[in-house]
């Protein structure tokens, strides 16, 4: 239960930012820079929660990977939408590549334990 609370905190903070700043509940409908701000707040907060768990010597569970996959899928959805609308998506591609690298690193560390 503690892990779910730790992982949902950055998600809730990013959605609160989304509601108060952009007045919407759907991050997919945001324009490029606004979505990147939302996405970076979400990713940075989530990875900080992962390293908080590591700092307290807690194991990384499947819940962590489910959160990571859902955040990644949100980025993929926005990438597909951006490509279909003919918008520049270079920064989002770089962020998604970084997410893949971090996911593989955490997955390798998790399997070693």
């Amino acid at each position: 239960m503690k892990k779910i609370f730790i992982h949902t905190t950055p998600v809730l903070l990013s959605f609160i930012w989304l509601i108060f700043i952009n007045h919407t509940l759907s991050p997919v409908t945001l324009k490029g820079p606004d979505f990147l701000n939302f996405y970076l707040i979400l990713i940075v907060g989530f990875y900080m929660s992962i390293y908080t768990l590591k700092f307290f010597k807690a194991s990384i569970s499947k819940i962590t990977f489910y959160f990571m996959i859902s955040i990644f899928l949100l980025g993929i959805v926005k990438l597909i939408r951006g490509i279909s609308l003919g918008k520049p998506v270079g920064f989002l591609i770089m962020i998604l590549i970084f997410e893949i690298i971090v996911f593989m690193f955490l997955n390798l560390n998790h399997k070693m334990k």
Side-chain angles (χ1 to χ4, degrees), residues 1-13 45-46 49-50 53 58-67 71:
M1 187 69 180
K2 178 176 70 171
K3 292 177 188 176
I4 293 174
F5 178 73
I6 288 174
H7 291 316
T8 55
T9 302
V11 173
L12 287 176
L13 288 176
F46 182 74
S49 70
I50 290 175
L53 285 176
S59 64
I60 297 175
S61 64
K62 288 185 178 185
I63 293 171
T64 304
F65 291 108
Y66 293 146
F67 271 98
I71 291 171

Side-chain angles (χ1 to χ4, degrees), residues 17-112:
W17 178 87
L18 185 68
I19 292 168
F20 285 120
I21 301 299
N22 295 307
H23 309 292
T24 184
L25 286 173
S26 175
V28 178
T29 60
L30 292 175
K31 295 202 183 275
D34 292 331
F35 178 77
L36 287 177
N37 286 335
F38 164 77
Y39 202 63
L40 286 174
I41 291 170
L42 181 64
I43 289 173
V44 169
F46 182 74
Y47 289 140
M48 285 176 55
S49 70
I50 290 175
Y51 289 112
T52 302
L53 285 176
K54 282 190 164 196
F55 179 74
F56 290 120
K57 308 259 191 248
S59 64
I60 297 175
S61 64
K62 288 185 178 185
I63 293 171
T64 304
F65 291 108
Y66 293 146
F67 271 98
M68 288 178 72
I69 290 170
S70 63
I71 291 171
F72 182 75
L73 288 177
L74 175 65
I76 294 293
V77 167
K78 186 62 179 177
L79 178 71
I80 292 169
R81 185 164 192 260
I83 290 172
S84 69
L85 294 175
K87 302 291 182 181
V89 292
F91 286 117
L92 184 57
I93 290 173
M94 289 188 306
I95 293 170
L96 291 173
I97 290 170
F98 175 74
E99 277 189 85
I100 291 170
I101 292 169
V102 170
F103 180 75
M104 289 177 10
F105 177 74
L106 288 175
N107 200 13
L108 288 175
N109 273 349
H110 186 262
K111 287 184 179 180
M112 287 183 186

